[in-house]
Amino acid sequence: METFGAPTVSVVLLALLSILTNPLVAFGRQTPNHDTHQRRTYIIQLRKPAASLDEQNLNIWYESFLPESDGSSMRLLHSYSEVFSGFAAELTEEEVKNMEKKEGFLRAHPDRVVPLLTTHTPAFLGLKQNQGLWKASNLGKGVIIGVLDTGLTPSHSSFDDEGMPPPPAKWKGSCSFESGCNNKLIGAKDMISGGSSSSPTDEEGHGTHTASTAAGNFARNASAFGLGGGTAAGMAPHAHLAIYKVCSSQGCSLADVLSGIDAGVKDGADVLSLSLGGSSLSLAEDPLAIGSFGATEKGVFVSCAGGNSGPSQSSVSNEAPWILTVAASTTDRSFRASIELGDGHSVNGESLDQLEALSETSLPLYFSQDSPDCGSISGDASGKVVVCKAGQSPADLATRVKDSGGVALIYITDASQGSTKLVRRVEFPAAFVSDKDGASIISYATSKSNPTASISFGGAVLGASAPSVAFFSSRGPSLACPSIIKPDISGPGVNILAAWLDSEGTGESNYNIISGTSMATPHLSGVAALIKSVHPKWSPAAIKSAIITTSDDKIASGKPIRDQQEEPASFFAMGAGHVNPSKAVDPGLIYDLNTDDYIAYICGKFGDSGASVIVRDRSVNCDNVKNITEANLNYPSIFVALQSGSSVTVKRTVTNVGAASSSYKVQVNVPKSVSVTVTPQTLKFSKVEEMKSFTVTVKLTGSSSSVEGNLKWISDKHVVRSPIVVSSS
Ligand SMILES: *[C@@H]1O[C@H](CO)[C@@H](O)[C@H](O)[C@H]1NC(C)=O
Ligand SMILES: *[C@@H]1O[C@H](CO)[C@@H](O)[C@H](O)[C@H]1NC(C)=O
C-alpha cells in the first residue's frame, strides 16, 4: 500500500491506486501511548511447550498468562500454534510487565498495523495455453495458494471451478463464505480479530485483485472501463485458492497477519502470498518474519511485497532471507492516448478514460506558466485541452478543468516518477504523460501563439518497451539483512488488470486496473505454485533460487532493464531481474537452504536470544552451532562488503537438478575496479541432486563505492546467473 504521508510504523496493503482513489489509508490501530493503563494489542511470544499440547490445553496455558481480574478469554484475540508459540491480546503495559515474570514468557511484540502494499500478464511472462510451463505444470494443478489480504469476492467468474479437480487430500481448511466454496476456492476464513464483519467477503477489492492475479481461473470478457478485453487468467489458473482475510480498510494488524500465516500452514497451503508490509524491522522483532520462518521450516513458500516506498534507498521491507521479496515493474501493455500537437510532434500518453467523442479533434491548448499545476485556471480555458503538472490529484484536477469549461486534461506526472505512468480513472477525457514528454508539450504550448492538440484513444496496446522498474518500488540495500541483496525479483506491478468487487451489485464480474508491489507479489506466488506443481519436493529455498537465477536482466531487445529514470536498473531496484517463469521451472542448478542453514545464520546474527525467538526450537544452543555469516548464507545472489585493497572470500554450494551428467563453466562479468576469482572454474556432475561447492574471492582494486556484476555457471543447456554486488565498507 502506498505510504505517502502515512506513519512509518504502520503496515499497509501495497496497492497504490486504491489509496489514491479511495482512502484506504493505513494508520496504526493504536499508536504507542505512555499511559500504562491504556490497552493495546500485543503479540505475546512464549517458549514452545516441551510437549505438544492440543488446542484446548494450549489455550488454557495461554490464558494462564492473562491477568485474572476480568473475563480473560474475551481478551485473547488469537492463539497461535503452527508457526509461533503464543497469542495476541489487548493488554496494558503494566499487565505485560507482570507477564514477563512468568515461566515460559519470551517476548512481547507490540502489534503494528501495516498497509496493504491481470489478464495480459501471463502472456507477457511467456505463459501460453497448452504449451511450455502451463502444460508441464497442468496450470498449477494440485497446489494450494493461501492469499492473506482483504478477503475475496466469491461470485467473480475468476473463481469458478471449471476444469478444477477437488482439493488435495492434505487440505484441512474450512470455508466461511455463505455461498460456500468450490474446487477453485477451497477455503476462506476471516482472521480479523474484533472486526465488525465475520465474513471473508472482500469489501475493498484488493484481495479479489491479488487472488485472481495469483490463481484466477480463465474468465472470458475481462475488461475494466472497456479496456483490456479478452480472457483473463491468473499465473496458476488451476491452483487452488485459500483465502485468509487479515486486512481491512484500516490496513492489516500483524496479530491478524500472523494468525493468517498460522492458519494457512495448518490448513495445508503450499504457497502464502502477502501483498502487505510495513517498514523494515529486525528479524527477531518482526512477527511476520518469525511466522514466515515457521512456514518455511514446514516447506511453505512465502512471497511478500517489498513495499511502495521507492525510489529512496533502503526502503525495502519483508526482507528475511527465507521470504521472496518482490519488486514491481511495468508491462508491455499501455492504455494508449496519443497526443498530436499542432506542429506535428506527437507524444504517447495513457488513459483509462478513453472517450471516443473527443477523439482526433484538434483543439486549442491551454497552459498557464503562472499556475503550471492548475492551482488556478483562468476563464480562457473554455473549450480547450488543459495541460497541468502534477500537484493535486488527477481526479480533482479533472473536476477543476471541467468546471472551468475545459474539454480534456493532459496530466503531467511528477518528475520523480520518471517514465512510470500510474493511470487513474478520472471520468473525464484525460491523458497521463511523463514529465519528459510533458516538457515538450509545455515548450510547444508556450512558444506558439495559437497552440493546438488532438488526443486519440487507442485502447490497450501491446509492445511498449518493458519491463522497467516502477518509481514506487522499494529499494535495497536491506536494513535488516544488509548482506542479502533485496528485493529478490521483480514482477508486473504497474497498471495491472484483475478481478474486482461487484461494487454496483450488478451480478457481473468486475475488473480494475491498479498498481503496486501488491500486484507484483501474486504474480510471483503463482509462478512459485507452477514450479511447485512440477517439482513437488523442492524446498522453498530451491524454488526461490530457480526464480532468481533464471530471471531476465535484459528486455527483449537485449538492452538492460531500466528504472523509472531510464538508467539501467540496479539489483537493489529490480532484484536479480524480471521473473521468467518458463526458465524458472528448469534452472539446471539450485542454491538450496535447509532449516539447519538458517539456524546457523540466525545464531551468528542474533545469538541464543534471537534464535529462541525466531527458531523456537528449545534444543537449539548457538554454542554448538557452526555459525554462518550473512554473506556466506547459501543465497542465490552474492553481496560482499570490503575495503579497498582488501579481499573477501565467500562460499556457495549448488545442487544439480538438471541432467545427471552435466558440466558447468564459470563466467564472471564485473567492472574493472574489482577482481573476482572463482574456485574451481568448472563443476562436473554425474548424478541428479549431487552437490558441489565453490568459493568466490573478491578484491576491490579501484576506489568505487559499489559495483555490480554477474557470476554465471554455464552449461550447454543452462545459464545459472547470480547477481554480485561489491560494496566498499
Ligand atoms: C462477452 O461480451 C459480449 C459483448 O458484450 C457478449 O455478447 C458475450 O455474450 C459475452 N460473453 C460472455 C462469455 O460473457
Ligand atoms: C555463534 O554466534 C553467537 C553470537 O552471535 C555466539 O553466541 C555463539 O557462541 C557462536 N557459536 C559458535 C560455535 O561460535
Side-chain angles (χ1 to χ4, degrees):
M1 166 133 343
E2 179 40 19
T3 53
F4 295 130
T8 49
V9 290
S10 62
V11 180
V12 194
L13 286 162
L14 291 169
L16 289 162
L17 182 69
S18 47
I19 200 155
L20 296 165
T21 54
N22 68 7
L24 192 69
V25 185
F27 37 80
R29 183 189 275 182
Q30 240 163 321
T31 44
N33 191 309
H34 289 291
D35 177 356
T36 54
H37 299 292
Q38 168 118 14
R39 279 183 185 164
R40 53 173 312 206
T41 304
Y42 286 90
I43 300 168
I44 302 298
Q45 187 167 14
L46 308 179
R47 282 195 190 284
K48 200 174 172 183
S52 92
L53 300 174
D54 65 16
E55 200 180 311
Q56 196 186 354
N57 282 313
L58 200 59
N59 280 334
I60 291 172
W61 183 50
Y62 289 167
E63 277 166 19
S64 73
F65 282 82
L66 292 175
E68 276 150 28
S69 52
D70 47 24
S72 57
S73 62
M74 303 274 293
R75 286 160 61 187
L76 204 61
L77 298 173
H78 292 292
S79 78
Y80 309 110
S81 61
E82 288 294 303
V83 301
F84 193 86
S85 304
F87 56 89
E90 286 187 15
L91 299 163
T92 66
E93 216 172 282
E94 208 177 353
E95 288 168 336
V96 172
K97 278 233 146 48
N98 291 332
M99 216 178 264
E100 285 169 5
K101 296 172 199 134
K102 296 194 180 176
E103 173 66 28
F105 177 92
L106 211 49
R107 191 170 284 195
H109 304 271
D111 191 20
R112 304 198 302 162
V113 176
V114 296
L116 283 165
L117 284 203
T118 12
T119 51
H120 166 62
T121 42
F124 174 56
L125 295 177
L127 295 170
K128 297 193 185 79
Q129 262 184 299
N130 304 318
Q131 291 179 40
L133 180 53
W134 265 4
K135 191 175 179 194
S137 68
N138 278 318
L139 305 163
K141 203 165 157 184
V143 180
I144 302 166
I145 304 179
V147 180
L148 281 71
D149 212 296
T150 60
L152 185 119
T153 307
S155 60
H156 199 283
S157 59
S158 290
F159 311 117
D160 287 353
D161 66 354
E162 193 184 328
M164 296 285 303
K170 66 167 182 168
W171 174 245
K172 295 200 280 289
S174 60
C175 175
S176 41
F177 279 128
E178 244 172 68
S179 53
C181 282
N182 62 25
N183 287 338
K184 158 61 66 185
L185 186 55
I186 59 173
K189 287 178 178 163
D190 179 17
M191 310 307 298
I192 299 181
S193 58
S196 49
S197 81
S198 57
S199 146
T201 299
D202 188 3
E203 283 159 12
E204 309 301 325
H206 192 276
T208 301
H209 201 274
T210 55
S212 70
T213 302
N217 208 340
F218 296 98
R220 286 173 211 100
N221 276 7
S223 66
F225 330 122
L227 289 165
T231 297
M235 299 307 296
H238 283 182
H240 305 283
L241 279 169
I243 301 306
Y244 301 92
K245 182 170 176 176
V246 299
C247 304
S248 67
S249 59
Q250 309 290 299
C252 327
S253 142
L254 279 187
D256 299 339
V257 173
L258 185 56
S259 114
I261 298 175
D262 206 57
V265 172
K266 198 188 282 180
D267 291 348
D270 299 296
V271 175
L272 295 178
S273 189
L274 287 82
S275 290
L276 52 90
S279 48
S280 176
L281 278 184
S282 160
L283 303 183
E285 287 165 17
D286 182 358
L288 203 156
I290 298 168
S292 301
F293 180 80
T296 309
E297 205 183 358
K298 289 171 196 279
V300 178
F301 187 92
V302 182
S303 123
C304 291
N308 296 341
S309 306
S312 33
Q313 261 207 350
S314 292
S315 48
V316 69
S317 65
N318 295 332
E319 320 124 86
W322 44 88
I323 289 174
L324 182 78
T325 312
V326 185
S329 51
T330 60
T331 77
D332 67 339
R333 175 160 70 184
S334 46
F335 301 103
R336 184 70 57 81
S338 306
I339 300 161
E340 191 169 327
L341 303 175
D343 63 0
H345 182 78
S346 69
V347 162
N348 281 332
E350 290 201 56
S351 177
L352 296 184
D353 300 271
Q354 304 242 333
L355 299 160
E356 290 301 328
L358 185 81
S359 221
E360 293 179 44
T361 319
S362 182
L363 295 162
L365 203 53
Y366 170 97
F367 175 74
S368 163
Q369 263 166 324
D370 296 331
S371 181
D373 63 356
C374 302
S376 71
I377 301 176
S378 51
D380 60 357
S382 183
K384 294 185 179 173
V385 174
V386 179
V387 180
C388 306
K389 291 180 99 163
Q392 304 168 66
S393 84
D396 287 351
L397 273 179
T399 307
R400 189 175 279 257
V401 171
K402 192 175 176 184
D403 291 348
S404 65
V407 292
L409 163 68
I410 293 177
Y411 181 85
I412 302 173
T413 56
D414 192 78
S416 65
Q417 305 189 1
S419 58
T420 312
K421 283 183 286 241
L422 293 180
V423 287
R424 271 152 270 170
R425 190 100 199 271
V426 297
E427 318 246 353
F428 184 71
F432 288 68
V433 301
S434 67
D435 176 68
K436 205 166 136 196
D437 287 337
S440 69
I441 296 174
I442 290 174
S443 132
Y444 163 72
T446 52
S447 63
K448 294 284 176 316
S449 49
N450 290 306
T452 60
S454 66
I455 303 179
S456 55
F457 296 105
V461 177
L462 302 182
S465 170
S468 73
V469 180
F471 76 89
F472 59 76
S473 192
S474 290
R475 310 294 151 113
S478 156
L479 295 175
C481 310
S483 296
I484 304 275
I485 300 175
K486 290 281 178 173
D488 289 303
I489 190 79
S490 85
V494 178
N495 304 332
I496 302 300
L497 191 154
W500 200 249
L501 308 176
D502 175 17
S503 38
E504 263 137 53
T506 60
E508 276 169 33
S509 293
N510 214 351
Y511 294 84
N512 198 1
I513 295 168
I514 55 176
S515 302
T517 49
S518 268
M519 281 60 250
T521 302
H523 281 97
L524 270 297
S525 308
V527 170
L530 295 174
I531 298 173
K532 180 89 184 168
S533 175
V534 180
H535 305 289
K537 295 212 176 94
W538 281 12
S539 69
I543 295 174
K544 184 203 275 184
S545 171
I547 291 172
I548 288 179
T549 62
T550 58
S551 64
D552 294 326
D553 59 348
K554 297 190 173 62
I555 63 172
S557 69
K559 295 202 179 115
I561 291 178
R562 295 186 179 263
D563 64 15
Q564 76 285 351
Q565 299 301 357
E566 316 274 353
E567 296 294 335
S570 94
F571 295 131
F572 290 128
M574 64 173 174
H578 200 251
V579 60
N580 185 328
S582 308
K583 284 190 177 161
V585 75
D586 178 23
L589 303 176
I590 51 173
Y591 293 77
D592 208 354
L593 283 164
N594 59 31
T595 301
D596 287 344
D597 298 321
Y598 289 129
I599 290 174
Y601 160 71
I602 293 162
C603 273
K605 193 170 167 83
F606 299 107
D608 280 318
S609 69
S612 65
V613 171
I614 303 172
V615 182
R616 303 190 306 126
D617 183 343
R618 283 171 169 250
S619 66
V620 170
N621 176 349
C622 290
D623 288 339
N624 305 328
V625 168
K626 198 161 178 289
N627 289 339
I628 298 178
T629 63
E630 197 160 80
N632 275 296
L633 190 67
N634 198 38
Y635 213 76
S637 55
I638 298 170
F639 176 94
V640 292
L642 74 179
Q643 282 162 359
S644 186
S646 70
S647 75
V648 167
T649 298
V650 295
K651 188 185 151 191
R652 289 291 188 273
T653 302
V654 285
T655 308
N656 179 26
V657 294
S661 167
S662 41
S663 169
Y664 289 83
K665 272 203 163 59
V666 78
Q667 190 190 89
V668 179
N669 313 98
V670 287
K672 285 205 173 62
S673 55
V674 292
S675 84
V676 173
T677 314
V678 179
T679 317
Q681 302 256 307
T682 306
L683 299 176
K684 279 201 168 67
F685 298 89
S686 55
K687 290 196 293 278
V688 176
E689 288 180 27
E690 190 178 354
M691 295 166 91
K692 296 264 177 197
S693 297
F694 61 93
T695 59
V696 183
T697 301
V698 183
K699 191 170 181 190
L700 192 58
T701 51
S703 59
S704 48
S705 58
S706 177
V707 301
E708 299 196 346
N710 287 294
L711 182 160
K712 296 173 185 169
W713 287 107
I714 301 174
S715 74
D716 47 11
K717 288 214 180 63
H718 296 102
V719 176
V720 187
R721 181 178 62 88
S722 287
I724 303 184
V725 174
V726 180
S727 167
S728 72
S729 52

